[in-house]
Amino acid sequence: MIKKQRDLNNGEIVAQIMLVQKYFDERGQDERVSHIVVMGIGEPFDNYNNVLNFVRTINDDKGMAIGARHITVSTSGLAHKIRDFANEGVQVNLAVSLHAPNNELRSSIMKINRAFPIEKLFSAIEYYIETTNRRVTFEYIMLNEVNDGVEQALELAELLKNIKKLSYVNLIPYNPVSEHDQYSRSPKERVMAFYDTLKKKGVNCVVRQEHGTDIDAACGQLRSNTMKRDRQKAVAAVNP
C-alpha cells in the first residue's frame, strides 16, 4: 500500500489547472478550463486550508476567474469540515460521497463512516443547507447486489426526504479495480430499477455518463494501475 507523503499546497493544486490550460493554448484550441471538481485520491477536507485557498485563487478575477458555481468540492463525509465549509461564504458546490443509505452498509464500504456515521453526517449537511441555501450532490457508486437494490433505494429516499428540494443524487457505474475485486458493476436493469424508485419518491437523480473505463482511465483505475506497476518495478529490482 502506498502511504501518504504530504498534502499538496495551494500553488501545486493551481499548477494542475494551469497545465491543462497550457495544453489547450499550445494546441491553438480556443478553450479555457471552465469547470473544476476537487476529488479523487485523497480527501479534500483533510487538506482544508490549501483547498480553500486554491478555490479562492482560481475563482478570483486576478487568478483564473473560474465561476464559483462551476467549482465543486467533494468530501467522503468529514462532518465537522462540512460545518466549517458552510461558514466560509464561498459559492462553490458541495458533493458528498455517500454510497449507502444506512450505517451498517456504509461502514462496510467506507471506513470513514465509523468516525462520522450517517446521523452526524446528515446533521452537518442539514446545517450546510440551512446556512447556505445551496444544493448538495450525493455521489452513489452502484455495486452489484451490495447497495443497488430497490430496498436500498427506498432507504435512500427516506434519508433524503427532509432535504429533497436541495439535494441531487449522482448514480455512478462502478469502475472495476484489482484491489477491490469483491465488487462488480451493477447491471443496467438494477441501476434503472434503483433510479426509477428514487424518481417515484421525488428524489432528483441522474445516472452519470461514464468515460475512460475502456482504457483503464476511469476514477480509481489510474491509481490502481500505477500501484500495480510500482509493485512490479520493486519486484524486478529485487529479482533482476
Side-chain angles (χ1 to χ4, degrees):
M1 180 179 291
I2 297 175
K3 293 183 178 180
K4 175 180 174 179
Q5 300 298 312
R6 63 177 180 85
D7 291 327
L8 294 177
N9 62 41
N10 172 33
E12 289 170 321
I13 308 173
V14 172
Q16 296 179 56
I17 311 305
M18 294 179 69
L19 188 62
V20 175
Q21 188 60 58
K22 182 181 178 183
Y23 175 88
F24 291 149
D25 294 342
E26 288 179 345
R27 282 153 183 76
Q29 295 175 242
D30 187 20
E31 293 186 56
R32 65 184 296 271
V33 177
S34 60
H35 291 72
I36 304 290
V37 180
V38 185
M39 67 181 305
I41 305 306
E43 163 59 55
F45 282 168
D46 268 342
N47 191 15
Y48 187 85
N49 291 333
N50 283 317
V51 166
L52 261 291
N53 287 334
F54 160 74
V55 166
R56 291 190 167 106
T57 299
I58 62 171
N59 173 238
D60 194 281
D61 289 341
K62 295 180 181 179
M64 298 190 73
I66 298 174
R69 297 191 180 190
H70 292 172
I71 303 169
T72 300
V73 177
S74 179
T75 177
S76 58
L78 276 66
H80 60 305
K81 292 299 184 182
I82 292 173
R83 290 178 179 273
D84 290 344
F85 195 61
N87 297 323
E88 292 289 348
V90 293
Q91 296 296 305
V92 303
N93 305 307
L94 176 66
V96 176
S97 296
L98 186 60
H99 309 320
N102 61 64
N103 282 320
E104 181 179 4
L105 181 55
R106 192 166 189 262
S107 292
S108 71
I109 299 171
M110 304 175 68
K111 292 181 180 179
I112 194 171
N113 194 70
R114 299 167 193 172
F116 301 102
I118 284 175
E119 294 79 12
K120 280 188 178 180
L121 174 59
F122 271 76
S123 176
I125 288 168
E126 288 172 6
Y127 175 80
Y128 173 86
I129 290 173
E130 290 169 3
T131 302
T132 65
N133 198 36
R134 294 188 60 76
R135 186 177 75 175
V136 174
T137 296
F138 292 94
E139 310 285 5
Y140 197 101
I141 293 177
M142 303 294 288
L143 304 172
N144 187 33
E145 296 187 0
V146 175
N147 66 349
D148 64 344
V150 169
E151 179 183 353
Q152 283 86 41
L154 291 170
E155 281 187 272
L156 180 57
E158 179 68 17
L159 187 62
L160 300 177
K161 68 178 182 180
N162 293 329
I163 56 172
K164 276 194 298 188
K165 292 182 179 179
L166 284 171
S167 64
Y168 193 83
V169 178
N170 239 340
L171 301 178
I172 306 171
Y174 173 65
N175 302 315
V177 292
S178 57
E179 69 236 57
H180 295 300
D181 56 5
Q182 74 271 36
Y183 298 128
S184 61
R185 173 175 294 200
S186 300
K188 185 175 181 180
E189 58 269 21
R190 289 183 70 87
V191 174
M192 294 315 299
F194 197 98
Y195 170 86
D196 288 341
T197 301
L198 291 181
K199 293 294 282 187
K200 287 174 183 176
K201 289 293 184 177
V203 176
N204 297 314
C205 61
V206 68
V207 179
R208 179 187 290 178
Q209 184 178 358
E210 61 170 323
H211 298 282
T213 307
D214 56 335
I215 59 171
D216 283 348
C219 183
Q221 292 181 326
L222 285 174
R223 170 181 173 272
S224 179
N225 289 339
T226 299
M227 291 174 65
K228 181 179 180 180
R229 189 163 58 246
D230 289 345
R231 286 195 297 268
Q232 290 171 340
K233 287 180 180 178
V235 171
V238 173
N239 303 295

